[in-house]
Amino acid sequence: MSFYHSLMSRKFQKSLFIKPSIGGWKSYSLIFISLPLLLYGAIFLLPVVPATSNVDKGSAYKIKITPQSGLSAIAGQLSEQGISTNAITFQVAARAVFVGSKLKPGTYLLAPRASLGNILLQIARGDRVRETIAIIPGMTIWQLRSLIDKHPALIHQTKDMSSKELLMTIGLSYPGDEGLFYPDTYIFDPDDSDTSIYRRASKAMQKQLTAAWDQRDSATPLKTPYDLLILASIVEKETGRSSDRSLVSAVFVNRLNLNMPLQTDPTVIYGIGPKFDGNLRKTDLRKDSPYNTYMHKGLPPTPIAMPSKESLLAVIQPAKSDAVYFVARGDGTSHFSKTLKEHESAVDQFQRKRNSSNQSKP
């Protein structure tokens, strides 16, 4: 080996053990700091949402994520809906902001020109569009079906179904669909199906009905949970004030035990159907119908409305009373009587008072 090569070899070996200068460490540190800054800057500063809205008369950009979607599937759905992202970018960003397993399905309204980071955080929060529909205690099935059929945010799968077809669709077997849907406010995502509302409401009613039935007394004249549902619907329609609910229930339970006809106007009105004009006439009380409880003893064939939890419990736990009659006082409450003579006196008193009040009005 020549002197020159020997010298160069020694210099090279020494160079392997040369410590980096202070300036070199600063360069490495700057690189390590810059990379995350560049990554998060790209995630939170670069817009991925279009600048123009896709909602009629709106200023937001609407997107939808389907249930049970993974990161790759969500990325594909967003890309198809106009968001500037792809599977790799989306997955890296989601993991970088620690929301990879927190993204929730639903319909979202995004700010135009929002960044990928901002929409990821919004989806992780579940800050999505929600719709509601309210089933009111005492609502009839035709009122409920009309309400659901007209709701603009639902996909209408049951609109032309018969009662039998609706029951088959939600997996129930009853004489009819009246009374089977629990009164409550149901929250749902836009473009959910009306079938899901019926299914949720029917499951809620079955739960409440089972819970109430399990509390029944052995002396009850009711034979099945469906009997409970029927009588609770009558109590719901006959109760003007909640404080009277258990007493109204006691009257009907007493009548069933005494084999007396229930003689309740709401069942007759239900038998007339949606064409009822609000005026119950004597001729209506004389028309034979399965729902005419003046002509037929026992319960009508189906419920006549959607009963509340309170009405279900009132029927199972009626007040301790011997009353078999009641009449409305005109202020929302009722007067309860044990004998026909007392009842006729109360009817005369309160009807005379109402007639006098009506005559004094212009």
Side-chain angles (χ1 to χ4, degrees):
M1 181 183 294
S2 67
F3 175 77
Y4 172 75
H5 286 100
S6 177
L7 181 61
M8 293 301 294
S9 178
R10 286 195 294 270
K11 286 183 176 181
F12 175 74
Q13 292 174 11
K14 288 180 180 180
S15 68
L16 293 177
F17 300 98
I18 295 174
K19 295 181 180 180
S21 65
I22 295 176
W25 280 118
K26 287 183 178 179
S27 299
Y28 294 142
S29 300
L30 185 60
I31 292 172
F32 285 129
I33 293 172
S34 299
L35 286 176
L37 288 176
L38 289 172
L39 174 62
Y40 283 99
I43 291 173
F44 283 99
L45 296 178
L46 296 180
V48 296
V49 179
T52 55
S53 173
N54 62 351
V55 180
D56 290 340
K57 298 179 181 179
S59 58
Y61 194 88
K62 184 178 178 181
I63 58 105
K64 184 175 181 179
I65 298 172
T66 59
Q68 299 179 337
S69 297
L71 288 179
S72 181
I74 295 174
Q77 292 167 28
L78 294 181
S79 179
E80 291 171 0
Q81 296 174 77
I83 305 301
S84 300
T85 189
N86 56 55
I88 295 175
T89 302
F90 187 82
Q91 291 183 63
V92 169
R95 291 186 171 93
V97 295
F98 308 104
V99 296
S101 60
K102 299 177 182 179
L103 302 183
K104 300 173 178 64
T107 300
Y108 293 85
L109 294 178
L110 309 177
R113 297 187 62 78
S115 67
L116 184 55
N118 286 333
I119 68 173
L120 278 167
L121 293 178
Q122 181 178 345
I123 297 171
R125 290 194 306 269
D127 184 10
R128 58 194 186 271
V129 178
R130 304 292 269 165
E131 297 283 348
T132 62
I133 194 163
I135 303 177
I136 308 300
M139 185 178 280
T140 63
I141 187 60
W142 52 79
Q143 290 172 327
L144 174 58
R145 294 201 67 170
S146 176
L147 177 70
I148 289 179
D149 287 347
K150 293 176 181 177
H151 200 296
L154 286 168
I155 295 175
H156 300 286
Q157 299 175 331
T158 67
K159 194 168 187 178
D160 298 320
M161 286 185 182
S162 66
S163 296
K164 185 177 180 180
E165 289 171 332
L166 175 59
L167 290 177
M168 288 178 62
T169 299
I170 60 179
L172 293 177
S173 178
Y174 282 100
D177 52 1
E178 182 63 83
L180 302 179
F181 306 102
Y182 186 65
D184 201 354
T185 298
Y186 294 89
I187 302 171
F188 62 94
D189 290 322
D191 299 324
D192 199 354
S193 70
D194 56 0
T195 305
S196 70
I197 302 298
Y198 286 117
R199 187 172 286 113
R200 288 169 59 192
S202 65
K203 286 182 178 179
M205 181 59 86
Q206 292 301 309
K207 181 179 179 180
Q208 295 294 341
L209 184 60
T210 299
W213 183 249
D214 288 345
Q215 300 178 50
R216 71 189 183 280
D217 188 280
S218 59
T220 180
L222 306 175
K223 305 302 181 185
T224 67
Y226 194 58
D227 288 349
L228 165 58
L229 192 65
I230 294 171
L231 187 53
S233 72
I234 297 173
V235 170
E236 188 69 52
K237 297 297 284 187
E238 278 282 22
T239 305
R241 190 168 292 183
S242 58
S243 57
D244 285 345
R245 203 184 302 268
S246 62
L247 281 166
V248 170
S249 172
V251 168
F252 290 129
V253 169
N254 291 339
R255 280 179 167 260
L256 289 173
N257 282 325
L258 295 169
N259 198 30
M260 294 175 64
L262 296 183
Q263 295 182 323
T264 171
D265 292 352
T267 61
V268 179
I269 292 170
Y270 186 82
I272 297 171
K275 62 186 179 187
F276 177 65
D277 62 6
N279 183 22
L280 187 64
R281 302 167 178 84
K282 288 185 178 180
T283 54
D284 296 322
L285 301 179
R286 298 191 185 105
K287 287 181 181 177
D288 193 6
S289 158
Y291 292 92
N292 190 332
T293 51
Y294 287 87
M295 300 181 69
H296 300 281
K297 293 180 180 179
L299 297 170
T302 72
I304 61 170
M306 312 296 168
S308 62
K309 176 182 178 180
E310 290 75 17
S311 290
L312 291 169
L313 293 176
V315 170
I316 286 298
Q317 301 168 347
K320 302 295 183 182
S321 171
D322 295 328
V324 288
Y325 302 96
F326 66 92
V327 62
R329 289 191 176 102
D331 61 355
T333 64
S334 297
H335 178 86
F336 297 87
S337 305
K338 296 179 182 180
T339 66
L340 179 59
K341 183 178 180 180
E342 182 186 349
H343 174 63
E344 288 175 340
S345 176
V347 169
D348 182 59
Q349 176 187 350
F350 294 115
Q351 282 189 347
R352 185 170 63 248
K353 185 183 295 184
R354 284 198 296 272
N355 291 337
S356 175
S357 175
N358 290 335
Q359 289 172 6
S360 66
K361 292 179 182 178

